[in-house]
Amino acid sequence: MKVANPIYDIVFKYMMEDERIARTILSALLKVEVLAVEVRPHEYSDDTHENLSVFRIDFGATIRSAGGNEKLILIELQKTWLETETLRFRQYLGVHYSNPKNMLANGSALPMVAVYLLGHKVGDIEEPVLYVNHQSLDYDGNVVTKGLPNSFVDSLTHDSIIVQIPRLHGHINNRLDMVLSIFDQSRRDQDDNRILRIDDKVYENDADMEHILRRLTMAAADADIRHKMNVEEEYFSAIEKRDTEILLRDKHIAEQKAQITEQKAQLTEQKAQLTEQKAQLTEQKAQLRTTIKMLLDAGKSLEDISSAINMDIDTVTTLAKEW
């Protein structure tokens, strides 16, 4: 079956607006049961993009832990299909920390998990999904467990989940693989990047996944969504072209700087060599003067000295006069 590609912001937004789908995806990512989610108001990125390459949704989620306890957490989900400056992600996190709506009655902040759905690879990390969890350590590096979790500690740190979409290769080994398979770009239609070709038999008897596929099928059939996908692709193609040009320019500048640095190093080395040679010549000249003086004191003539040290008479005469 053909479904809309959720790598596109407009499709992703349409999909995640469905509370059941949001709970399904977040439950798989967090590896806990998400009982309810609420999109924080006015937290969608501007649909016109305007120099933005990150799409984000902020959720308030009620989860049930493995111990059966329920608690409210914040989930900041950020999605990009271009390599984006780390600073931009950090700036979005800063908005959370400074928002008084995210504070509990006791003055501490709600626990937060940052989820990054990346349309690019992160260095040489091969794992499609990376969990970055903070730990509390003592001075000797031992893990501290007594008194934790603690609202004060939890409010000052956050866990992160990083998904490298290009590392998804269709292998389904667990629940998370199943859910993330709808982002697998190896399933793109050869003639249309906006469409994924999905084998719906893989999802038979999985009501939640079938619900997601129905939603994506509806998106694929929606003329307005298809139009916005076209606009989005044109926008990001232009951004990618610009970034490539900037990358090539920066690479050229870096190469020039490296060449200049190397040339400066060579000049410095040559200068050091000349200084050393000059010092050696000065030392040799001093030794010659000393030798000539000793020979003169011994009663040797300038002609005899010239012959003895194999040096022309004029130079010997000049060095002798320097005493």
Side-chain angles (χ1 to χ4, degrees):
M1 65 184 300
K2 295 182 178 181
V3 301
N5 189 347
I7 194 71
Y8 289 83
D9 290 353
I10 184 61
V11 178
F12 184 73
K13 176 181 176 181
Y14 178 77
M15 181 178 69
M16 296 300 288
E17 283 175 338
D18 185 296
E19 199 235 359
R20 179 178 176 181
I21 294 177
R23 284 191 290 106
T24 299
I25 293 177
L26 295 176
S27 293
L29 285 166
L30 297 175
K31 295 189 285 187
V32 297
E33 183 181 2
V34 176
L35 303 174
V37 293
E38 178 185 2
V39 176
R40 294 279 163 142
H42 311 298
E43 293 298 339
Y44 284 113
S45 293
D46 186 355
D47 288 342
T48 61
H49 300 292
E50 294 182 357
N51 299 322
L52 291 175
S53 58
V54 177
F55 180 82
R56 67 188 261 250
I57 311 176
D58 299 336
F59 295 99
T62 302
I63 65 172
R64 178 181 289 129
S65 65
N69 298 321
E70 296 182 11
K71 67 176 181 178
L72 177 65
I73 66 170
L74 294 176
I75 300 174
E76 178 169 282
L77 193 154
Q78 301 187 41
K79 183 188 73 66
T80 177
W81 61 349
L82 297 177
E83 291 200 42
T84 306
E85 296 177 359
T86 305
L87 177 61
R88 185 166 294 168
F89 287 132
R90 290 174 61 88
Q91 287 171 336
Y92 291 158
L93 289 172
V95 173
H96 268 305
Y97 287 121
S98 62
N99 190 344
K101 294 181 180 179
N102 296 333
M103 305 296 291
L104 296 170
N106 62 6
S108 61
L110 284 170
M112 183 175 69
V113 177
V115 178
Y116 304 101
L117 298 177
L118 306 180
H120 59 85
K121 296 178 182 178
V122 180
D124 296 325
I125 301 174
E126 297 181 352
E127 290 74 15
V129 184
L130 191 67
Y131 287 84
V132 184
N133 300 322
H134 72 274
Q135 286 185 319
S136 298
L137 309 175
D138 63 15
Y139 179 82
D140 297 317
N142 301 311
V143 177
V144 176
T145 57
K146 185 177 180 180
L148 296 173
N150 175 273
S151 60
F152 177 79
V153 175
D154 291 343
S155 66
L156 295 176
T157 57
H158 68 272
D159 295 337
S160 300
I161 304 172
I162 301 171
V163 179
Q164 299 183 84
I165 293 176
R167 299 284 189 189
L168 302 174
H169 299 303
H171 303 297
I172 299 177
N173 300 312
N174 52 50
R175 180 60 178 170
L176 181 58
D177 289 343
M178 176 73 76
V179 170
L180 292 181
S181 64
I182 60 170
F183 293 97
D184 186 353
Q185 296 303 293
S186 66
R187 300 181 177 189
R188 283 180 300 184
D189 187 277
Q190 293 183 351
D191 300 320
D192 191 348
N193 288 334
R194 301 170 305 168
I195 299 298
L196 297 183
R197 289 183 170 272
I198 300 292
D199 181 4
D200 54 332
K201 293 181 180 179
V202 175
Y203 308 100
E204 285 182 348
N205 302 318
D206 189 326
D208 289 330
M209 292 305 301
E210 289 178 343
H211 181 72
I212 293 176
L213 293 184
R214 283 195 296 272
R215 184 80 171 174
L216 291 176
T217 302
M218 291 169 58
D222 189 298
D224 183 57
I225 290 179
R226 291 202 307 273
H227 169 70
K228 289 181 178 179
M229 291 169 73
N230 287 336
V231 172
E232 189 175 327
E233 183 158 6
E234 291 175 2
Y235 169 81
F236 281 114
S237 294
I239 291 292
E240 191 169 16
K241 180 181 178 181
R242 181 205 65 185
D243 289 349
T244 300
E245 291 173 350
I246 292 174
L247 182 64
L248 291 175
R249 182 200 66 190
D250 290 348
K251 181 180 179 181
H252 181 63
I253 292 174
E255 289 175 349
Q256 288 181 327
K257 286 183 177 179
Q259 290 175 353
I260 292 172
T261 300
E262 184 178 356
Q263 290 172 353
K264 286 183 177 179
Q266 290 175 349
L267 289 173
T268 300
E269 184 179 355
Q270 290 174 354
K271 187 177 180 180
Q273 290 174 349
L274 288 173
T275 301
E276 184 179 355
Q277 290 172 357
K278 186 177 180 181
Q280 291 174 349
L281 288 173
T282 300
E283 184 179 355
Q284 291 173 358
K285 188 175 181 181
Q287 291 174 349
L288 283 171
R289 285 199 303 267
T290 301
T291 300
I292 291 170
K293 184 178 183 301
M294 291 174 59
L295 291 173
L296 286 172
D297 291 344
K300 299 290 185 180
S301 68
L302 292 175
E303 290 77 5
D304 291 339
I305 295 172
S306 173
S307 177
I309 64 175
N310 194 27
M311 181 175 289
D312 65 272
I313 187 67
D314 293 335
T315 303
V316 170
T317 302
T318 301
L319 290 171
K321 290 179 179 179
E322 292 181 0
W323 282 103

